[in-house]
Amino acid sequence: YRGAAPFSEPETAALRDFLTAHLNVRAYVDLHSYGFMILWPWGHTPELSENNITFDLLGTGMAERIVEVRGTGYPYRGPVYTTIYPVNGGSLDYSYGELGLWSITFEIGYYFYMPTYEIIPTSEEMFQSLAFLSEWVFDCNGNGVADADEIAHGESDDCNGNLTPDECEQQPDFDTDGIVDICDADID
């Protein structure tokens, strides 16, 4: 229940208070059921967020991790509004729009309740997917922009595709040209 006004309900107020008190939080995740979907902002408008391309890359990577665990994935991905239906007053839009967090909703399974035999496989797939998210939001150079977002927008190179900007690689750059040797065509 969204309440009579923003944060009028104790649960939503507690969530807001927690997120605003922990400024080191970089991502927000909701787990819902049901539908095998990975969703991102916006829920309140059909307009795409300014980071929609990056969210699409993020959602695809998270879904690929699920496939690695289960053999099947979450085939439906996209903004809440256009992927399922409009959502008014959602925490996903708040956490992204007001706090700048990478905000994702998982619609897990097709179950109205989680059968016991699905709890462990669902936990394993969520763990791998969330591990990908944690790699994604990492900020190796401390500039306030997630490494993967820098790479997706062409602000940093990632010559070996490991979601780490080349300038943050721990690999050698013997010719000191700013390109790690594993990616440097000039190294013999």
Side-chain angles (χ1 to χ4, degrees):
Y1 173 63
R2 67 184 175 124
F7 307 109
S8 62
E9 304 309 301
E11 297 85 357
T12 56
L15 178 63
R16 176 206 56 209
D17 294 347
F18 177 85
L19 292 174
T20 57
H22 295 85
L23 300 178
N24 60 335
V25 173
R26 302 194 44 91
Y28 174 82
V29 177
D30 269 342
L31 296 177
H32 294 191
S33 105
Y34 62 93
F36 295 109
M37 297 179 200
I38 299 175
L39 306 168
W40 53 83
W42 296 115
H44 73 281
T45 178
E47 293 179 24
L48 299 178
S49 77
E50 67 182 49
N51 291 309
N52 190 67
I53 292 170
T54 305
F55 272 118
D56 188 49
L57 294 169
L58 174 60
T60 298
M62 294 173 85
E64 288 170 355
R65 289 282 181 97
I66 292 169
V67 170
E68 291 172 9
V69 172
R70 191 179 279 257
T72 61
Y74 282 41
Y76 305 104
R77 295 183 293 280
V80 173
Y81 190 103
T82 56
T83 305
I84 52 174
Y85 44 73
V87 173
N88 177 330
S91 59
L92 195 70
D93 284 3
Y94 167 74
S95 60
Y96 172 70
E98 293 296 318
L99 303 176
L101 304 179
W102 290 99
S103 302
I104 296 289
T105 294
F106 285 94
E107 294 285 349
I108 60 174
Y110 285 117
Y111 318 110
F112 289 107
Y113 63 94
M114 177 80 54
T116 304
Y117 63 85
E118 282 294 327
I119 291 173
I120 291 174
T122 300
S123 298
E124 291 169 343
E125 70 188 27
M126 285 296 105
F127 178 81
Q128 291 303 318
S129 189
L130 294 174
F132 182 85
L133 174 62
S134 70
E135 294 166 12
W136 185 273
V137 301
F138 190 72
D139 179 17
C140 70
N141 55 17
N143 66 358
V145 179
D147 295 343
D149 197 35
E150 286 185 64
I151 293 165
H153 286 94
E155 298 165 10
S156 290
D157 292 324
D158 179 22
C159 69
N160 55 2
N162 66 353
L163 292 179
T164 300
D166 291 347
E167 68 265 18
C168 297
E169 287 284 358
Q170 298 299 311
Q171 300 179 31
D173 178 18
F174 292 115
D175 63 357
T176 64
D177 65 353
I179 302 171
V180 294
D181 295 339
I182 195 170
C183 302
D184 196 343
D186 295 333
I187 298 292
D188 295 325

